Amino acid sequence: VSDQTRIEHIALETLACADGPLGASRLVEVLSQHDIDLSEATAGRYLRSLDRRGLTRPIGKLGRLLTEEGRTRLKQLEILQRQGEQSALLVGAATPVDVDELIDLLYVRRAVEPEAARHAALRATDQERDAIRAVADSHIHHVMGGTDHAEAAIDFHRLVARASHNKMLTAVASLTLDPSNNPLSTLLDVISIEAGAHFAFAHEHRDIVEAIIARQPHRAEVAMREHVDDLIRVVQEYRKRVPLLETSMAITMVDQMPAFAPEASVDSRLVSP
Ligand SMILES: [Zn+2]
């Protein structure tokens, strides 16, 4: 996190917690508690820059208050910080085993979810169609707004599985989409964001929704399979890119094993698109 972002976060947080208008001298005090030294003049200029961005509103000579835009910005910064912490943790903690486990998990999803989508196109009730569309819309909304979208993404997949009205499919999907797999879905999320792929994923959900709404089972199945293939591809590319993982013996061995998906593997699809 850059110093600029840190100062902004501390300033907005202090404003959010303050009982009344906040002045430059109070901001200087709080920043110095975080080992950031600013002169009062600089702090004053900084606060005026927040006014100009619409994040704060001056109250005479008393100081300023946080605006609604300021609160929204603070929420974004909190999410960014959390994601930053998670990425840092994951970069440190993600072993080749984790990434391989994630890929294994995605191959199970690849086997199950296209079939679930096909059944959903045939069997979903009107309410289920509406719910699937609503969660896909909320997913796009969060992705575009830069807010936390992981939950909406998983919810989408859960709803599609449930709308299959196939107990076995629903049971397997509830296992692969289980919250206890959370470290793996967080890893998937961080890898997607890092690759800038989360926008495309949100739009792929839209394609699946349209096929389900139009009751086109084959189209739903194909769209879901392409979506999961894209998830797999992004994770595989990540594994090749991260040097820590390249040097690992485990990866070398796995790469020599062509047994992930016997037919139509993602790799062969990439070779002959
Ligand atoms: Zn998805």
Side-chain angles (χ1 to χ4, degrees), residues 22 24 27 40-58 64:
L22 180 100
L27 179 61
E40 200 164 319
T42 309
R45 270 199 303 279
Y46 185 71
L47 286 170
R48 281 195 295 281
S49 79
L50 295 181
D51 293 343
R52 281 196 300 276
R53 292 169 59 198
L55 304 180
T56 50
R57 181 164 50 89
R64 58 256 304 143

Side-chain angles (χ1 to χ4, degrees), residues 109 113 139 153-154 156-157 188 201-202 204-205 208 224 227-228 231:
R109 289 184 53 181
E113 292 192 37
H139 182 208
I154 289 286
F156 169 78
H157 287 276
L188 176 60
F201 293 162
E204 288 173 0
H205 285 186
I208 299 164
M224 181 64 92
H227 174 53
V228 181
L231 297 177

Side-chain angles (χ1 to χ4, degrees), residues 133-147:
R133 197 205 319 247
V135 79
D137 285 348
S138 134
H139 182 208
I140 291 213
H141 181 80
H142 284 301
V143 166
M144 300 316 269
T147 47

Side-chain angles (χ1 to χ4, degrees), residues 43-265:
R45 270 199 303 279
Y46 185 71
L47 286 170
R48 281 195 295 281
S49 79
L50 295 181
D51 293 343
R52 281 196 300 276
R53 292 169 59 198
L55 304 180
T56 50
R57 181 164 50 89
I59 306 291
K61 289 199 185 318
L62 293 170
R64 58 256 304 143
L65 295 173
L66 201 59
T67 61
E68 213 34 61
E69 289 86 49
R71 265 173 228 290
T72 307
R73 175 66 185 152
L74 176 59
K75 264 184 221 142
Q76 276 178 3
L77 289 172
E78 280 162 359
I79 290 165
L80 278 175
Q81 188 185 9
R82 229 181 18 246
Q83 285 176 345
E85 283 166 3
Q86 281 175 346
S87 317
L89 271 178
L90 282 162
V91 167
T95 63
V97 176
D98 294 325
V99 180
D100 283 344
E101 259 180 36
L102 175 57
I103 292 174
D104 283 352
L105 175 72
L106 288 172
Y107 272 110
V108 177
R109 289 184 53 181
R110 185 180 187 275
V112 172
E113 292 192 37
E115 194 53 43
R118 191 174 76 81
H119 274 70
L122 292 168
R123 295 177 174 177
T125 64
D126 288 343
Q127 278 133 319
E128 283 168 339
R129 283 169 221 272
D130 289 346
I132 290 169
R133 197 205 319 247
V135 79
D137 285 348
S138 134
H139 182 208
I140 291 213
H141 181 80
H142 284 301
V143 166
M144 300 316 269
T147 47
D148 206 349
H149 54 265
E151 197 55 42
I154 289 286
D155 273 350
F156 169 78
H157 287 276
R158 276 199 203 106
L159 286 182
V160 171
R162 216 173 298 155
S164 73
H165 292 264
N166 176 317
K167 276 187 194 154
M168 279 296 164
L169 282 176
T170 310
V172 179
S174 77
L175 196 68
T176 56
L177 301 169
D178 182 43
S180 68
N181 281 323
N182 201 28
L184 289 181
S185 57
T186 308
L187 180 61
L188 176 60
D189 202 42
V190 171
I191 291 172
S192 312
I193 291 173
E194 199 230 17
H198 52 304
F199 296 104
F201 293 162
H203 285 284
E204 288 173 0
H205 285 186
R206 271 264 168 84
D207 296 339
I208 299 164
V209 172
E210 276 168 25
I212 290 175
I213 304 251
R215 299 172 198 263
Q216 293 176 334
H218 179 69
R219 188 177 146 207
E221 179 187 347
V222 169
M224 181 64 92
R225 186 169 298 113
E226 282 175 356
H227 174 53
V228 181
D229 277 348
D230 278 344
L231 297 177
I232 293 171
R233 190 172 41 80
V234 164
V235 177
Q236 280 176 333
E237 278 167 7
Y238 171 85
R239 197 177 59 176
K240 283 185 193 136
R241 212 170 48 240
V242 176
L244 169 84
L245 304 176
E246 265 178 4
T247 56
S248 152
M249 275 301 288
I251 293 303
T252 318
M253 284 165 60
V254 167
D255 277 346
Q256 287 162 353
M257 252 167 26
F260 271 144
E263 4 89 74
S265 84

